[in-house]
């Protein structure tokens, strides 16, 4: 009974959250076989991994059933990073020039709407654009581009499975929403989302793109880590509203990107819903959520303020109607273009 055999046996145990076996996921810190005793040390990255005990029991049972003559001891250690396994799938992002992640401290600030309108603005500027919608809490890009119900085809390319993205309004779109029903979202997130996202990252047939925008879930979490770990993100932009009181949430996001292991430049903060302009009074600006909140936030976080987008009926209607307003309302396009040009300039500079 050798250590390698123990590892081999443990390969049949899968972590329910990632769907990957605990050996190639790097959870096995130590295996020792000596004097009729098998000792295994499992190291979980999280301090309270909800599956730790379940996995420990499964490992003990498995080893005991195969080696009833041995004493089996499985020890759980928590915290600390397990070794990141090498991605097994070859990536399909080689044809993408720049990857920009769009983040927010909280939900409902218009992160997805800004992503969609930035994509359309980039398209209008002549760039080839794609969106990876990784917002597992509420994937909204399919609705915003009118391609709900799209079922991605799988195709073979050089002997590998590739997933074909939707193309809507000249923007390539791959969304976690294509793989889940809206009613599933709550149950689904966490459990299978990470492995589905990995597939989307590594198997989508993007072709050549100038920019890929990633619509991240709000806040910071496992999806962010998985994307940062699997993709070379060139820059992050953060969307906030003027009344975003939770400075701490945005700061956490900025720190996540700036972490020395991550090192993703934060291009800046965009203020969405900055003021309200009624259709019939296009010159009037009502600062209903307060004035200058995101600018102050940018100062506090030490990042650039990229510009403002007001609350406009056409932005909301465009999102609901499957046509981002930047493609049909020239004022909306102008607001987005001023911001997008700054982002492009920063990203190109590197
Ligand atoms: P998030 O992705 O941050 O959760 P969404 O992009 O889904 O937020 O936006 C939330 C809601 O606010 C949507 O109904 C959207 O149409 C609306 N919305 C976002 N930005 C604006 C805006 N500038 N003007 C009008 N409505 C907006």
């Amino acid at each position: 009974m050798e250590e390698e055999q123990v590892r081999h046996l443990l390969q049949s145990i899968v972590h329910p959250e990632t769907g990957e076996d605990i050996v190639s996921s790097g959870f096995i810190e130590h295996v020792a076989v000596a004097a009729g005793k098998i000792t295994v040390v499992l190291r979980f990255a999280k301090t309270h991994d909800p599956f730790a005990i379940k996995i420990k029991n499964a490992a003990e049972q498995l080893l005991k059933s195969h080696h009833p003559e041995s004493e089996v001891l499985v020890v759980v250690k928590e915290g600390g990073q397990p070794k990141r396994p090498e991605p097994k799938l070859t990536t399909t992002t080689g044809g993408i020039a720049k990857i920009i992640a769009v983040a927010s401290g909280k939900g409902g600030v218009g992160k997805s709407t800004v992503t969609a309108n930035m994509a359309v603005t980039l398209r209008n500027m002549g760039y080839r654009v794609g969106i990876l919608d990784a917002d597992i809490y509420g994937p909204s890009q399919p609705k915003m581009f009118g391609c709900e119900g799209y079922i991605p085809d799988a195709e073979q390319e050089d002997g590998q499975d590739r997933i074909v993205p939707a193309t809507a309004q000249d923007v390539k779109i791959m969304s976690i929403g294509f793989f889940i029903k809206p009613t599933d979202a709550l149950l689904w997130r966490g459990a299978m989302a990470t492995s589905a996202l990995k597939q989307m990252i590594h198997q989508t047939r993007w072709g050549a793109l100038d920019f890929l925008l990633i619509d991240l879930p709000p806040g910071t979490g496992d999806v962010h880590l998985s994307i940062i770990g699997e993709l070379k993100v060139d820059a992050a932009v953060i969307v906030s509203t003027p009344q975003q009181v939770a400075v701490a949430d945005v700061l956490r996001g900025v720190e996540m990107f700036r972490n020395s292991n991550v090192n993703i430049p934060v291009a800046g903060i965009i203020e969405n819903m900055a003021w309200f302009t009624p259709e019939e009074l296009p010159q009037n600006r009502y600062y209903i959520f307060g004035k200058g909140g995101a600018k102050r936030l940018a100062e506090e976080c030490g990042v650039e303020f990229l510009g403002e987008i007001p609350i406009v009926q056409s932005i909301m209607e465009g999102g609901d109607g499957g046509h981002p307003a930047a493609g049909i309302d020239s004022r909306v396009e102008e607001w987005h273009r001023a911001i997008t040009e700054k982002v492009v300039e920063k990203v190109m500079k590197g």
Side-chain angles (χ1 to χ4, degrees):
M1 177 70 190
E2 295 300 323
E3 275 106 35
E4 266 320 296
Q5 286 175 289
V6 172
R7 287 180 191 274
H8 185 72
L9 273 177
L10 293 174
Q11 266 173 2
S12 65
I13 299 176
V14 165
H15 193 292
E17 197 173 15
T18 61
E20 288 191 7
D21 79 84
I22 58 172
V23 178
S24 41
S25 306
F27 286 106
I28 314 295
E29 187 171 270
H30 183 67
V31 176
V33 181
K37 190 170 173 183
I38 304 172
T39 310
V40 174
V41 178
L42 299 174
R43 165 78 63 181
F44 290 84
K46 294 181 193 163
T47 37
H48 296 291
D49 191 308
F51 298 106
I53 293 303
K54 199 172 164 196
I55 290 173
K56 170 187 150 74
N57 291 342
E60 270 174 1
Q61 261 173 23
L62 181 75
L63 293 172
K64 272 187 189 144
S65 70
H66 281 79
H67 299 282
E69 75 290 353
S70 300
E71 188 189 333
V72 174
L73 180 66
V74 177
V75 179
V76 168
K77 290 190 179 173
E78 293 186 307
Q81 291 293 318
K83 266 190 270 137
R84 189 184 290 286
E86 285 299 310
K88 287 187 212 75
L89 303 158
T90 56
T91 194
T92 54
T93 51
I96 301 173
K98 297 287 178 190
I99 300 181
I100 302 171
V102 185
S104 67
K106 283 207 176 308
V109 300
K111 169 184 52 59
S112 303
T113 308
V114 170
T115 308
N117 281 295
M118 265 180 77
V120 168
T121 305
L122 284 165
R123 177 207 68 190
N124 289 355
M125 290 161 79
Y127 294 114
R128 293 162 299 179
V129 190
I131 298 178
L132 175 67
D133 180 6
D135 189 349
I136 56 169
Y137 300 99
S140 43
Q141 295 303 335
K143 183 161 204 252
M144 295 207 196
F145 280 88
C147 54
E148 286 165 296
Y150 173 79
I151 300 170
D153 253 340
E155 285 184 358
Q156 283 274 315
E157 201 178 81
D158 304 330
Q160 308 258 17
D161 281 329
R162 296 287 180 237
I163 319 169
V164 183
T167 304
Q169 295 150 59
D170 263 345
V171 176
K172 299 232 171 115
I173 296 164
M174 182 51 77
S175 171
I176 191 97
F178 295 149
F179 300 92
I180 54 172
K181 293 198 291 283
T183 44
D184 284 347
L186 290 182
L187 291 173
W188 215 75
R189 65 184 181 206
M192 279 160 71
T194 322
S195 62
L197 265 175
K198 266 191 200 164
Q199 271 199 306
M200 286 163 56
I201 289 170
H202 294 290
Q203 293 184 284
T204 301
R205 205 184 61 195
W206 293 110
L209 291 182
D210 298 300
F211 292 101
L212 177 69
L213 304 183
I214 306 179
D215 189 352
L216 289 171
T220 53
D222 288 351
V223 168
H224 302 75
L225 294 180
S226 148
I227 288 196
I228 288 167
E230 308 270 334
L231 274 179
K232 192 195 158 293
V233 177
D234 295 285
V237 297
I238 293 170
V239 179
S240 174
T241 57
Q243 96 279 27
Q244 173 113 39
V245 272
V247 179
D249 290 331
V250 175
L251 261 175
R252 239 195 309 279
V254 171
E255 272 159 17
M256 170 181 69
F257 293 117
R258 284 189 172 160
N259 180 291
S260 58
N261 293 323
V262 172
N263 239 335
I264 295 173
V266 177
I269 292 182
I270 300 170
E271 182 170 81
N272 188 34
M273 311 200 198
W275 69 83
F276 175 64
T277 293
E279 288 281 296
E280 61 284 9
L281 294 167
Q283 301 312 318
N284 288 26
R285 290 185 176 190
Y286 300 97
Y287 293 88
I288 51 181
F289 294 141
K291 202 173 171 183
K295 211 176 230 166
R296 278 195 299 278
L297 186 63
E299 278 164 20
E300 282 176 55
C301 297
V303 297
E304 189 172 329
F305 180 66
L306 293 168
E308 308 153 305
I309 298 158
I311 304 171
V312 193
Q313 198 169 340
S314 71
I315 294 185
M316 191 261 288
E317 286 172 354
D320 283 348
H323 281 271
I328 43 181
D329 181 333
S330 60
R331 287 172 318 146
V332 173
E333 212 262 353
E334 275 168 39
W335 286 311
H336 284 88
R337 190 174 284 230
I339 291 169
T340 307
E341 279 172 352
K342 277 194 199 168
V343 175
V344 169
E345 197 192 330
K346 289 200 130 202
V347 175
M348 290 307 192
K349 264 199 270 175

